[in-house]
């Protein structure tokens, strides 16, 4: 499997960051970076990472199924993660979640038919002070209201 | 000796070596701390929380399976808090357990049942629906019943650490966690069943045993596996004269609880429908059923005829028969048939090694040495596939004692994973490649060298010279194929050797010469199939075959006598390291007789019973102890199920041997000569058809 030169460089650096014989420690960051480039953790990617860090594919599967931020299926271009954990729940997170589902016509870990937006209900994202919070890919949005959410989703729909 | 640490457990004052875990300190002093995930010899897991104990000055209950002892530590294992914790843990485990004990294979010997019986609460507060998943079949050997799993990860660890296979993993998280096989929906692995037997509950079950019986309905007979030369003890579960399972959960024997697929499941040849159960005599050109007395009469008469007209005999013995049978057979050949034309299929060069060592018996390694030696060198051998137990010992040694492993082979081998140095050499060039390790090996405090059949004759001498030149204590293991290949050589199933490596006066014919001889008068084959890939030149020779199945050889015989398998007789066998162990009869197969008895009955029919003596294994073993050098082993040790190493030589062996006849069949995990062809389990696994490593 081939990756972009930038990603290959990241892999090289990661594999050198751990003492000899401990290369498996690079597995999680490698998967995360590769997922961004490939779009999802494909079977091929699992085998490739297993080979590079020197474990069996099954051991990569163990990690993927453990961590919710590694996805086997491609997500939308904009992955909207809405927190419904305690602080957000108390401040309307649940309503935001329902609103987004209704508006987009999709549910947890589903993607709109045009592939632009996907939704995920997540646990605390560490933004309790600004609850209710959500995350689009790596960007945070604080003190979200249904109106703000509408605007955001409309913008995402149009954004290329 | 390591420093001792003083501590108290339940008001008892104990002294144990520093570094001991509290759970072990308790166990060694007869105090039980219940556990599921803790397993001696495997990596610590601390997953089940069954082993919680109270430790003075510790703010909360501590996990005894990962807690090392400390000076002055005060531990309590039976306080109300601890008891309550255990109850809660069990209640928790049962919250998603199907409790199908009445039909579960493990019922009656289940650790969860035992724990609940002993420590558990009789009631549960959980009313939630249990997570159900249907049972899955991962291979002909391994079945998985997810709801029964208590997530102790013993299976994952034994497969990864113990077997070096890593075929099992745990996927998902929390209540959805489950054990998963390496190929998505199935396994590609050694199919050893270690994971099944180590499972404390009935989550992993075997294709052989599942839903067949209740454990308490069986008798348990500890005997020795009849497949490879490693000599593992296997405990057969027998009901109504039928073997239902094999395992070694009591850890008796040299192998502890290790068994490969063959020792655990490949006993099923014993009741294969093609088993011969009546003698066959060729009449009118066809093999026809006959009574034992008719058949024996035909054999005796023809043997007498050949003898009287001064004809040539050929006797080919087995790599599977007992020492007693081998000794008795060669005695019969040499003293009744008056011939040295006796041989067997030679699978490794033991003879040259013993000669080259010329009496240095301390240079012969035991299977225990493989677990303890500081360094191990594997030359031209695929241990994981062909010598599974030896390979297991080396892995355990690496894990527990950080042994240095050196692998000099032509192909990648499993030992590579634990190797300090890997040397790849072209097939046949392994011996010269060993030289490159000289400096490294010299620096080791000791070494064991294991070598395959490619190293023979001069090769063995060179290897021993190399070992000696290192200037450190070196031991050797000459690898051989079958359950008693070693005993066949020791007992003199060789034209050039009498029992105990005494050169015979006049050399007889080798098996190859027998088959090629134009004027062979009679050929007697016991538990071997020499005509599988060869022709018998003397088409008119009178031919007797003692066998379990109608092999290529048996098919052209004049008389075929149905033989008992190793699981149907007593006697002793000698493993690859020269350790003698005793077989114990588990079942009886109607119509078949042990080879010892058959040979005795032929002697009787020929009026030669007095020459060969009584045909009970005990009396023949006594004779072996007296006459065969090295076999003067303590009887009590063997009788109680132990292994005793033989010390075969005390000097050079002055004989020219046909080392060109040495050839291993390289049976792997899923093949075992004739026996393997008649084992349904060995034939059914996928890996047999794959290029499995
Ligand atoms: S049968 Fe043996 S090799 Fe296969 S998964 Fe179980 S322990 Fe591993
Ligand atoms: S299958 Fe058995 S051995 Fe494996 S984790 Fe579950 S209970 Fe433990
Ligand atoms: S390693 Fe050899 S002796 Fe042990 S169980 Fe397997 S075949 Fe039998
Ligand atoms: S609970 Fe939503 S960010 Fe912490
Ligand atoms: S035995 Fe200690 S946590 Fe399982």
């Amino acid at each position: 499997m081939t990756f972009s030169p930038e990603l290959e460089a990241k892999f090289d650096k990661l594999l050198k960051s751990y003492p000899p014989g401990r290369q498996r420690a690079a597995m999680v960051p490698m998967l995360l970076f590769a997922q961004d480039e490939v779009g999802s953790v494909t079977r091929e990617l699992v085998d490739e990472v297993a080979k590079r860090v020197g474990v069996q594919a099954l051991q990569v599967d163990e990690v993927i199924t453990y961590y919710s931020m590694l996805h086997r299926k491609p997500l939308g271009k904009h992955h909207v993660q809405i927190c419904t954990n305690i602080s957000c729940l108390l401040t309307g997170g649940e309503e935001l979640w329902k609103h987004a589902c209704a508006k987009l016509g999709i549910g947890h870990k589903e993607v709109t038919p045009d592939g632009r937006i996907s939704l995920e209900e997540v646990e605390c994202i560490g933004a309790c002070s600004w609850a209710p919070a959500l995350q689009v890919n790596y960007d945070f949005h604080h003190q979200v209201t249904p109106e703000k959410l509408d605007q955001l989703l409309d913008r995402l729909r149009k954004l290329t | 000796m390591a420093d001792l640490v003083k501590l108290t457990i339940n008001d008892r004052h104990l002294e144990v070596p520093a570094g001991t875990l509290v759970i072990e300190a308790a166990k060694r002093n007869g105090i039980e701390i219940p556990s599921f995930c803790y397993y001696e010899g495997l990596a610590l897991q601390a997953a089940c929380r069954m082993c919680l104990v109270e430790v003075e000055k510790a703010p909360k209950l501590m996990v005894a399976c990962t807690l090392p002892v400390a000076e002055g530590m005060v531990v309590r294992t039976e306080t109300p808090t601890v008891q309550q914790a255990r109850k809660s843990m069990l209640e928790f485990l049962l919250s998603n357990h199907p409790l199908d004990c009445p039909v579960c294979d493990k019922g009656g010997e289940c650790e969860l049942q035992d724990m609940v019986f002993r420590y558990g609460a009789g009631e549960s507060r959980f009313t939630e629906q249990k997570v159900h998943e249907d049972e899955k079949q991962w291979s002909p050997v391994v079945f998985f019943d997810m709801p029964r799993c208590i997530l102790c990860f013993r299976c994952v660890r034994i497969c990864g650490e113990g077997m070096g296979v890593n075929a099992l993993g745990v996927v998902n998280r929390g209540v959805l966690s489950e054990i998963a096989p390496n190929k998505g929906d199935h396994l590609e692995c050694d199919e050893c069943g270690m994971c099944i037997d180590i499972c404390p509950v009935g989550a992993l079950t075997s294709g052989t045993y599942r839903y067949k019986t209740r454990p308490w309905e069986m008798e348990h007979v500890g005997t020795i596996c009849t497949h490879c030369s490693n000599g593992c003890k296997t405990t057969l579960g027998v009901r109504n004269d039928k073997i239902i399972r094999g395992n070694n959960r009591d850890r008796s024997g040299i192998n502890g609880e290790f068994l490969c697929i063959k020792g655990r499941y490949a006993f099923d040849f014993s009741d294969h429908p093609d088993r011969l159960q009546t003698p066959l005599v060729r009449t009118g050109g066809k093999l026809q059923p006959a009574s034992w007395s008719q058949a024996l009469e035909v054999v005796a008469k023809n043997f007498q005829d050949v003898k009287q007209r001064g004809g040539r005999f050929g006797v080919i013995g087995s790599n599977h028969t007992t020492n007693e049978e081998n000794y008795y057979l060669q005695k019969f050949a040499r003293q009744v048939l008056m011939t040295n034309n006796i041989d067997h299929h030679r699978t490794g060069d033991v003879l040259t090694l013993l000669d080259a060592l010329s009496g240095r018996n301390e240079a012969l390694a035991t299977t225990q040495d493989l677990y303890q030696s500081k360094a191990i060198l594997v030359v031209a051998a695929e241990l994981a596939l062909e010598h599974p137990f030896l390979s297991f010992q080396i892995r355990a040694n690496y894990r527990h004692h950080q042994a240095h492993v050196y692998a000099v082979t032509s192909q990648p081998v499993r030992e590579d994973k634990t190797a300090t140095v890997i040397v790849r050499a072209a097939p046949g060039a392994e011996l010269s490649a060993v030289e490159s390790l000289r400096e490294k090996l010299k620096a080791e405090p000791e070494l064991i060298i294991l070598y395959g059949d490619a190293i023979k004759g001069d090769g063995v001498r060179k290897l021993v010279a190399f070992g000696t030149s290192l200037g450190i204590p070196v031991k050797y293991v000459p690898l051989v194929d079958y359950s008693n290949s070693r005993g066949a050589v020791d007992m003199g199933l060789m034209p050039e050797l009498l029992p105990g490596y005494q050169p015979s006066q006049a050399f007889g014919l080798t098996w190859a010469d027998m088959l090629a001889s134009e004027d062979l008068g009679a050929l007697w084959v016991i538990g071997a199939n020499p005509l599988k890939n060869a022709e018998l030149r003397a088409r008119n020779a009178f031919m007797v075959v003692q066998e379990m199945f109608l092999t290529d050889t048996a098919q052209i015989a004049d008389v075929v006598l149905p033989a008992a398998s190793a699981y149907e007789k007593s006697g002793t066998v000698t493993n690859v390291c020269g350790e003698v162990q005793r077989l114990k009869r588990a079942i009886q197969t109607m119509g078949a007789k042990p080879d010892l008895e058959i040979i005795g009955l032929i002697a009787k029919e020929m009026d030669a019973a007095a020459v060969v003596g009584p045909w009970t294994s005990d009396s023949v073993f006594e004779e072996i102890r007296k006459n065969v050098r090295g076999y003067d082993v303590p009887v009590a040790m063997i009788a109680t199920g132990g292994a005793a190493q033989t010390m075969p030589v005390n000097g050079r062996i002055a004989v020219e041997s046909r080392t060109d006849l040495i050839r291993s069949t390289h049976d792997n995990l899923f093949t075992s000569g004739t026996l393997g062809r008649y084992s349904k389990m060995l034939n059914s696994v996928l890996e047999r058809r794959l290029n499995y490593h």
Side-chain angles (χ1 to χ4, degrees):
Chain A
M1 199 172 180
T2 48
F3 303 102
S4 67
E6 296 77 36
L7 188 56
E8 286 291 356
K10 273 187 186 156
F11 281 2
D12 278 350
K13 184 154 177 269
L14 275 169
L15 288 171
K16 284 190 200 110
S17 314
Y18 302 96
R22 305 277 171 86
Q23 272 50 47
R24 63 199 296 172
M27 191 198 296
V28 172
M30 278 172 79
L31 285 167
L32 278 169
F33 287 133
Q35 169 172 272
D36 287 344
E37 182 166 309
V38 178
S40 66
V41 183
T42 59
R43 202 65 248 163
E44 202 189 0
L45 178 59
V46 168
D47 291 337
E48 184 65 27
V49 170
K51 199 168 81 200
R52 295 199 186 198
V53 303
V55 298
Q56 312 252 358
L58 176 59
Q59 290 164 294
V60 179
D61 283 336
E62 293 182 313
V63 169
I64 297 169
T65 54
Y66 187 90
Y67 289 111
S68 59
M69 287 163 82
L70 294 165
H71 308 276
R72 285 200 199 264
K73 283 200 222 113
L75 299 168
K77 191 154 193 275
H78 309 288
H79 185 46
V80 179
Q81 302 147 67
I82 302 181
C83 174
T84 55
N85 212 299
I86 191 72
S87 308
C88 296
L89 184 81
L90 292 172
T91 50
E94 187 89 359
E95 286 69 36
L96 291 177
W97 171 248
K98 286 193 185 129
H99 186 81
C101 288
K103 186 175 169 103
L104 297 172
I106 55 173
H108 179 60
K109 289 210 179 182
E110 288 179 356
V111 192
T112 53
D114 60 3
R116 299 192 62 82
I117 304 181
S118 51
L119 271 184
E120 184 177 358
E121 186 181 4
V122 295
E123 304 303 329
C124 181
I125 51 176
C128 306
S129 311
W130 306 280
L134 64 79
Q135 205 185 330
V136 180
N137 296 345
Y138 292 105
D139 299 329
F140 281 78
H141 296 259
H142 300 148
Q143 279 146 351
V144 185
T145 58
E147 295 70 44
K148 280 196 193 169
L149 179 60
D150 271 338
Q151 289 164 13
L152 174 68
L153 292 178
D154 289 341
R155 208 168 57 242
L156 293 179
R157 274 173 167 166
K158 283 188 220 118
L159 215 76
T160 45
Chain B
M1 176 123 199
D3 293 343
L4 290 180
V5 170
K6 290 197 190 70
L7 78 161
T8 29
I9 304 184
N10 298 350
D11 300 324
R12 277 179 57 193
H13 297 279
L14 309 175
E15 281 191 19
V16 296
T20 308
L21 299 167
V22 170
I23 197 170
E24 276 296 325
K27 181 157 87 184
R28 283 179 215 160
N29 289 284
I31 300 166
E32 181 182 69
I33 297 177
S35 64
F36 284 115
C37 71
Y38 174 74
Y39 205 84
E40 201 188 329
L42 296 181
L44 302 181
Q45 186 82 44
C48 73
R49 312 267 131 182
M50 221 14 235
C51 63
L52 292 171
V53 292
E54 242 181 81
V55 179
E56 237 172 51
K57 299 202 184 90
K60 50 180 189 166
L61 296 181
M62 302 292 280
V63 183
C65 70
T66 49
L67 181 70
V69 294
E71 190 64 37
M73 194 180 240
V74 179
V75 181
R76 292 202 176 79
T77 73
E78 297 298 335
T79 64
T81 325
V82 171
Q83 283 168 358
Q84 186 50 47
R86 286 174 189 160
K87 273 204 176 93
S88 307
M89 283 328 299
L90 287 166
E91 187 182 358
F92 205 44
L93 283 177
L94 292 186
S95 68
N96 201 42
H97 198 84
L99 290 172
D100 52 355
C101 312
V103 294
C104 177
D105 279 353
K106 211 71 179 198
E109 50 184 17
C110 169
E111 293 179 41
L112 182 60
Q113 272 187 342
D114 293 349
M115 296 279 193
V116 175
F117 180 74
R118 192 128 175 215
Y119 303 105
E123 293 171 5
S124 170
R125 289 165 291 172
F126 288 91
T127 52
E128 283 75 7
Q129 184 133 23
K130 299 191 177 194
V131 178
H132 177 77
E133 239 183 66
D134 287 341
E135 189 180 42
K136 297 182 191 115
Q137 178 174 12
W138 287 340
S139 75
V141 171
V142 188
F143 288 71
F144 179 58
D145 203 327
M146 183 266 200
R148 289 183 189 156
C149 173
I150 60 166
L151 294 168
C152 67
F153 312 127
R154 286 186 193 176
C155 55
V156 176
R157 284 173 286 156
I158 194 71
C159 186
E161 300 167 25
M163 301 308 298
V165 175
N166 277 309
L168 295 175
V170 48
V171 294
N172 302 330
R173 177 162 39 111
V175 71
L176 297 176
S177 301
E178 64 176 305
I179 303 301
N182 59 356
K183 296 288 161 185
D185 60 351
H186 70 280
L187 276 170
E188 207 178 294
C189 70
D190 279 11
E191 306 288 358
C192 62
M194 290 293 280
C195 52
I196 300 172
D197 280 352
I198 207 170
C199 180
V201 293
L204 288 165
T205 56
S206 80
T208 293
Y209 178 70
R210 55 202 295 277
Y211 301 132
K212 286 269 168 61
T213 185
R214 309 303 292 166
W216 55 84
E217 286 176 335
M218 293 180 290
E219 257 182 89
H220 304 280
V221 185
T223 187
I224 305 302
C225 169
T226 188
H227 293 283
C228 87
S229 63
N230 294 188
C232 299
K233 170 105 177 286
T234 175
T235 303
L236 302 173
V238 180
R239 197 187 66 189
N240 299 335
D241 241 350
K242 193 172 153 50
I243 306 173
I244 304 191
R245 75 174 181 193
N247 70 24
N248 211 34
R249 292 293 286 150
D250 64 1
R251 301 194 197 177
S252 57
I254 53 174
N255 49 310
E257 65 199 307
F258 173 83
L259 284 173
C260 77
I261 179 173
K262 293 196 269 189
R264 211 183 299 271
Y265 304 117
F267 52 75
D268 54 351
F269 62 81
S270 66
D271 61 355
H272 191 283
D274 291 352
R275 248 330 263 283
L276 296 172
Q277 292 189 290
T278 173
L280 303 170
V281 175
R282 192 167 297 277
T283 23
K286 277 177 73 181
L287 283 172
Q288 310 273 10
S291 69
W292 271 99
S293 56
Q294 286 166 333
L296 290 167
E297 205 184 305
V298 177
V299 175
K301 186 181 159 296
N302 280 280
F303 278 4
Q304 295 285 22
D305 283 355
V306 176
K307 198 174 158 186
Q308 262 152 31
R309 63 166 197 266
R312 259 181 163 178
F313 282 98
V315 181
I316 300 179
S318 174
N319 282 309
H320 280 291
T321 46
T322 63
N323 289 324
E324 290 76 2
E325 289 166 335
N326 295 346
Y327 181 87
Y328 204 68
L329 177 65
Q330 65 79 34
K331 190 172 175 191
F332 190 115
R334 291 187 162 113
Q335 296 181 21
V336 178
L337 304 179
M338 310 305 265
T339 182
N340 270 326
N341 300 343
I342 181 165
D343 204 355
H344 73 285
H345 167 201
R346 310 160 189 213
T347 60
D349 198 351
V350 182
L351 177 56
T352 309
L353 175 69
L354 296 180
D355 181 32
L357 293 177
S358 73
R360 282 158 45 207
N361 280 313
E362 73 284 357
L364 298 171
T366 62
T367 45
Q368 180 63 19
D369 290 336
L370 290 174
Y371 175 63
Q372 278 164 342
S373 177
K374 299 264 185 283
I376 287 162
L377 166 63
V378 182
V379 188
E382 172 62 287
L383 294 184
L385 298 189
E386 297 179 18
H387 296 275
F389 172 49
L390 305 189
S391 176
F392 180 84
Q393 288 291 81
I394 295 171
R395 275 192 301 280
N397 190 354
Y398 171 78
R399 256 178 21 253
H400 297 155
H401 315 128
Q402 296 77 47
H404 290 174
V405 179
Y406 299 85
V408 183
T409 58
S410 58
Q411 298 288 326
V413 291
R414 201 173 293 168
E415 277 62 44
D416 292 354
K417 291 189 193 169
T418 50
T420 304
V421 184
I422 303 168
V423 181
R424 284 289 104 84
E430 294 95 342
L431 188 58
S432 26
V434 167
E435 188 58 42
S436 67
L437 294 173
R438 177 179 291 278
E439 291 312 311
K440 283 222 157 59
L441 295 178
K442 259 177 142 163
E444 297 288 356
E446 58 179 355
L447 182 69
I448 297 180
I449 305 180
L450 303 99
Y451 63 90
D453 69 324
I455 314 289
K456 52 190 173 187
D458 273 347
V460 177
R461 289 184 207 284
K462 278 188 200 137
L463 192 61
V464 173
F466 173 79
T468 311
S469 74
L470 295 174
I472 55 170
V474 180
K475 295 186 182 190
Y476 301 85
V477 179
L479 298 169
V480 291
D481 282 8
Y482 295 112
S483 58
N484 205 23
S485 291
R486 185 62 189 267
V489 193
D490 290 352
M491 294 303 130
L493 291 191
M494 302 266 270
E496 65 268 42
L497 283 181
L498 303 176
Y501 298 88
Q502 311 279 4
S504 59
Q505 294 304 324
F507 286 13
L509 298 179
T510 65
W511 65 263
D513 297 337
M514 294 174 207
L515 299 189
S517 158
E518 260 173 34
D519 58 350
L520 198 69
L523 181 66
W524 184 12
V525 182
I526 293 93
N529 191 12
L531 300 184
K532 188 176 170 226
N533 301 312
E535 288 274 312
L536 176 64
R537 184 92 175 274
R539 293 317 290 251
N540 292 326
F542 171 72
M543 199 170 143
V544 185
V545 173
Q546 296 176 202
E547 247 306 343
M548 278 177 254
F549 299 99
L550 208 57
T551 58
D552 318 66
T553 308
Q555 276 169 29
I556 68 156
D558 296 292
V559 179
V560 182
L561 302 170
S565 77
Y567 300 144
E568 295 149 12
K569 59 186 168 196
S570 48
T572 61
V573 287
T574 308
N575 78 355
V576 63
C577 290
E579 293 162 301
V580 191
Q581 302 179 90
R582 186 178 257 191
L583 298 180
K584 201 163 163 196
R585 188 174 66 73
I587 53 164
Q588 217 153 7
T589 292
M590 277 266 275
K593 291 182 193 295
D595 290 293
L596 185 63
E597 186 181 339
I598 302 177
I599 303 166
L601 291 172
I602 296 175
K604 184 167 160 230
E605 197 68 30
M606 290 175 73
D607 287 327
V611 184
V612 286
W615 50 87
T616 65
S617 53
D618 284 347
S619 59
V620 181
F621 189 60
E622 253 330 285
E623 199 172 327
I624 293 173
R625 287 186 68 236
K626 288 205 192 83
N627 297 333
V628 182
R629 204 183 288 162
Y631 273 75
D632 186 16
V633 292
V635 176
M637 194 150 157
I638 296 181
T640 51
Q645 197 193 17
T646 58
M647 297 285 156
V649 269
N650 65 0
R652 296 287 309 263
I653 304 165
V655 39
E656 281 290 311
S657 186
R658 287 279 302 275
T659 47
D660 60 309
L661 291 176
I662 293 171
R663 200 164 305 132
S664 161
T665 25
H666 298 291
D667 272 311
N668 63 24
L669 285 171
F670 314 110
T671 61
S672 182
T674 302
L675 297 182
R677 282 194 287 284
Y678 291 95
S679 162
K680 209 172 134 219
M681 191 48 109
L682 292 185
N683 281 299
S684 66
V685 296
L686 187 73
E687 294 82 354
R688 184 173 167 126
R689 276 164 282 278
L690 301 174
N691 183 17
Y692 179 77
H693 282 284

